[in-house]
């Protein structure tokens, strides 16, 4: 004889959670700052090559060595540059021989690495050029020679962002001492630690914490922390660096990348996190009467990470989960729970229909026995 729970459905289901990373396949050049050697006139300005419209173009004067440049703001590993040429019976040929470069030298074109030399692009067409991961913050297109004209109707740049992402995130801390706001730890300035005014600081409290929200899941290779220089460097001793996706316990439930033994006054120390994945980077000092002061926090690694997880769940439900509309309803509810926790780019689906599971052991009071 088995005890079958008639009032409660205990079901086993497999949920697929697909996180569509924001930005993995985005055009890094879109609406970024641009410049070019000269403007043909005010209806052919450099920003028209990154406006998302392929029918408005950037266009220089006819001159010696014309160039066009976009600033991606962060350093990227550029995989591909797509260029849309002008739609014109003859002028489309002016692009022939243009060079695409990627690098970190906005003012010295020739110091940047050549990604491709354009032999030709048909009138009005878009061609892809593979850059094989050349690293740089700037993408430059130029033509060498006299009496050249550079016209670009759209330049799209695809790749992975590198460098410090901390500055792209948002921050919060457990309390704030004076004007030492949490943001001062990601202001991009390590040097200000001498003055102290460029640092974040909590009050003297129990378990003070500081948290960076990267807004997407990243694979973190290292975290660099800069300590204050004016005094009390020892306050940094025992700071835990946590990386993960949970906000429970102010983030201290997430796995630990490192516990800082000490950082000398005014120095920057790097902690290797071996590719730990997470959206939040939490710094916490456990204990009473502690103050968390940070002059700079930098986060390096890869991302955003496209994540797919399979979760096996045991539901304790009065509803019949073998019923399709009911299952869809559960996904919607689950989705809104995730959204409350900040996971909005998530696709949920059942990869297996839930089955009823017979509960072992003691049946709940309300259950009846069936032969
Ligand atoms: C854009 O380029 C022109 C020509 O080289 C230069 O005079 C100007 O200062 C540049 N503007 C910016 C914002 O870099
Ligand atoms: C260029 O790459 C895009 C995807 O990023 C693709 O859709 C398009 O077909 C490619 N164009 C050519 C001409 O290969
Ligand atoms: C989270 O931090 C705040 C501010 O320090 C504190 O009041 C609260 O008790 C903490 N919550 C947990 C669960 O530790
Ligand atoms: C916190 O306050 C206590 C009591 O005033 C003091 O002894 C301690 O040194 C302070 N700690 C820090 C880190 O400021």
């Amino acid at each position: 004889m088995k005890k079958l729970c008639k009032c409660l459905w205990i079901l086993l289901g497999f949920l697929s959670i697909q996180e569509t990373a924001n930005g993995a396949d985005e055009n890094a050049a879109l609406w970024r700052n641009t410049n070019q050697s000269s403007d043909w006139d005010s209806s052919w300005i450099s920003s028209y090559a990154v406006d998302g419209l392929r029918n408005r173009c950037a266009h220089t004067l006819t001159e010696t060595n014309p160039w066009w440049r976009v600033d991606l703001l962060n350093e990227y590993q550029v995989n591909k540059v797509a260029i849309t040429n002008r739609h014109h019976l003859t002028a489309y040929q002016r692009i022939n021989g243009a060079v695409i470069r990627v690098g970190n030298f906005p003012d010295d074109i020739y110091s940047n690495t050549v990604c491709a030399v354009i032999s030709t692009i048909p009138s009005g067409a878009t061609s892809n050029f593979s850059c094989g991961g050349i690293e740089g913050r700037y993408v430059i297109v130029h033509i060498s020679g006299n009496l050249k004209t550079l016209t670009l109707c759209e330049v799209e740049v695809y790749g992975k962002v590198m460098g410090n992402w901390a500055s792209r995130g948002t921050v919060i801390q457990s309390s704030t001492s004076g004007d030492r706001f949490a943001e001062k730890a990601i202001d991009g300035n390590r040097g200000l630690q001498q003055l102290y005014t460029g640092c974040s600081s909590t009050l003297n409290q129990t378990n003070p914490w500081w948290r960076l929200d990267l807004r997407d899941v990243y694979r973190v290779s290292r975290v660099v922390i800069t300590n204050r220089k004016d005094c009390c460097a020892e306050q940094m001793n025992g700071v835990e660096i946590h990386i993960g996706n949970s906000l429970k316990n102010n983030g201290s439930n997430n796995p630990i990348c490192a516990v800082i033994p000490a950082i000398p006054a005014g120095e920057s120390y790097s902690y290797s996190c071996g590719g730990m994945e997470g959206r939040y980077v939490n710094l916490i000092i456990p204990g009473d009467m502690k103050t968390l002061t940070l002059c700079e926090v930098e986060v390096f690694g890869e991302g955003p990470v496209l994540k797919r997880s399979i979760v096996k769940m045991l539901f304790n439900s009065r509803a019949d989960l073998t019923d399709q509309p009911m299952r869809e309803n559960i996904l919607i509810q689950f989705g809104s729970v995730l959204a409350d926790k900040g996971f909005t780019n998530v696709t949920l689906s059942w990869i297996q229909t839930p089955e009823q599971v017979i509960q072992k052991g003691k049946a709940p009071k309300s259950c009846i026995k069936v032969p």
Side-chain angles (χ1 to χ4, degrees):
M1 196 172 74
K2 281 178 177 156
K3 289 174 184 146
L4 178 63
C5 182
K6 274 273 172 127
C7 52
L8 290 171
W9 284 83
I10 314 260
L11 292 133
L12 206 51
F14 290 86
L15 267 180
S16 158
I17 304 176
Q18 174 93 45
E19 220 177 292
T20 49
N22 214 349
D25 231 4
E26 266 174 24
N27 169 13
L30 192 63
W31 303 316
R32 292 296 182 213
N33 286 331
T34 54
N35 200 2
Q36 60 188 5
S37 46
S38 59
D39 293 346
W40 180 263
D41 64 31
S42 61
S43 54
W44 297 89
I45 55 179
S46 64
S47 61
Y48 285 174
V50 293
D51 62 356
L53 303 171
R54 291 176 170 177
N55 56 355
R56 285 206 307 196
C57 314
H59 192 327
T60 67
L61 296 169
T62 301
E63 61 182 340
T64 302
N65 303 336
W67 55 265
W68 176 94
R69 179 182 73 215
V70 61
D71 178 358
L72 306 173
L73 287 183
N74 282 284
E75 208 174 328
Y76 277 72
Q77 267 180 336
V78 176
N79 295 321
K80 189 176 79 179
V81 174
I83 295 195
T84 304
N85 198 7
R86 182 177 182 184
H87 185 76
H88 191 276
L89 204 56
T90 53
Y92 78 91
Q93 296 176 357
R94 292 174 179 165
I95 197 79
N96 301 358
V99 180
I100 304 169
R101 291 179 189 257
V102 177
N104 290 315
F105 305 97
D107 302 316
D108 182 9
I109 292 175
Y110 297 93
S111 293
N112 299 293
T113 308
V114 173
C115 154
V117 178
I118 301 171
S119 52
T120 191
I121 302 175
S123 170
T126 302
S127 293
N128 293 331
F129 299 91
S130 172
C131 299
I134 299 175
E135 295 169 5
R137 170 172 165 175
Y138 301 94
V139 174
I140 294 166
V141 182
H142 68 104
I143 310 180
S144 298
N146 298 325
L147 296 176
K148 300 290 185 186
T149 316
L150 179 60
T151 309
L152 297 163
C153 293
E154 198 66 17
V155 177
E156 296 156 66
V157 178
Y158 299 92
K160 268 193 291 193
V161 74
M162 307 172 55
N164 174 21
W165 307 309
S167 56
R168 297 162 61 103
T170 55
V171 282
I172 180 171
Q173 61 190 5
S174 53
S175 60
T176 297
S177 164
D179 63 353
R180 292 163 195 136
F181 305 112
E183 288 76 12
K184 292 192 170 179
I186 56 162
D187 61 3
N189 203 333
R190 282 183 188 177
L192 278 178
Q193 73 263 21
Q194 281 81 344
L195 301 174
Y196 184 54
T197 52
C199 309
S200 71
S201 185
T202 66
L203 298 168
N204 182 345
Q205 65 163 122
T206 300
N207 304 332
W209 53 265
W210 177 96
R211 181 170 69 230
L212 168 67
D213 177 358
L214 295 164
R215 295 193 256 210
D216 271 308
V217 175
Y218 284 82
R219 199 171 285 134
V220 178
S221 57
R222 65 197 174 94
V223 174
V224 179
I225 312 277
T226 302
N227 201 2
R228 65 193 292 176
K229 192 172 187 177
D230 56 336
C231 77
C232 16
E234 73 288 348
Q235 285 180 3
M236 188 66 83
N237 304 358
V239 170
E240 298 174 355
I241 305 172
H242 295 257
I243 295 173
N245 296 313
S246 167
L247 286 179
K248 256 197 170 157
N249 275 326
N250 291 318
S252 56
N253 280 19
N254 287 322
I256 289 185
C257 155
V259 180
I260 299 175
I263 302 178
E267 303 238 347
S268 303
Y269 272 27
S270 180
Y271 299 90
S272 176
C273 302
M276 286 172 71
E277 287 182 7
R279 169 176 170 169
Y280 301 107
V281 177
N282 285 80
L283 304 186
I284 299 167
I285 319 181
D288 294 331
M289 294 187 293
K290 303 281 186 186
T291 306
L292 178 58
T293 304
L294 299 162
C295 289
E296 198 66 14
V297 177
E298 293 156 77
V299 178
F300 297 89
E302 281 184 357
V305 177
L306 196 66
K307 239 183 140 173
R308 183 166 193 252
S309 322
I310 307 286
V311 180
K312 183 174 163 180
M313 299 184 96
L314 198 59
F315 288 90
N316 195 335
S317 166
R318 279 171 201 281
D320 178 358
L321 293 191
T322 58
D323 179 50
Q324 166 78 12
M326 198 55 77
R327 285 205 307 277
E328 292 311 310
N329 192 19
I330 292 282
L331 290 190
I332 291 165
Q333 288 181 32
F334 193 41
S336 60
V337 169
L338 289 175
D340 285 347
K341 296 189 184 299
F343 293 94
T344 47
N345 305 313
V346 171
T347 310
L348 297 170
S349 54
W350 295 95
I351 58 168
Q352 191 179 300
T353 307
E355 288 166 18
Q356 190 173 18
V357 175
I358 295 178
Q359 210 181 27
K360 288 196 186 113
K362 235 172 102 184
K365 263 195 210 131
S366 50
C367 284
I368 55 157
K369 290 175 183 178
V370 290

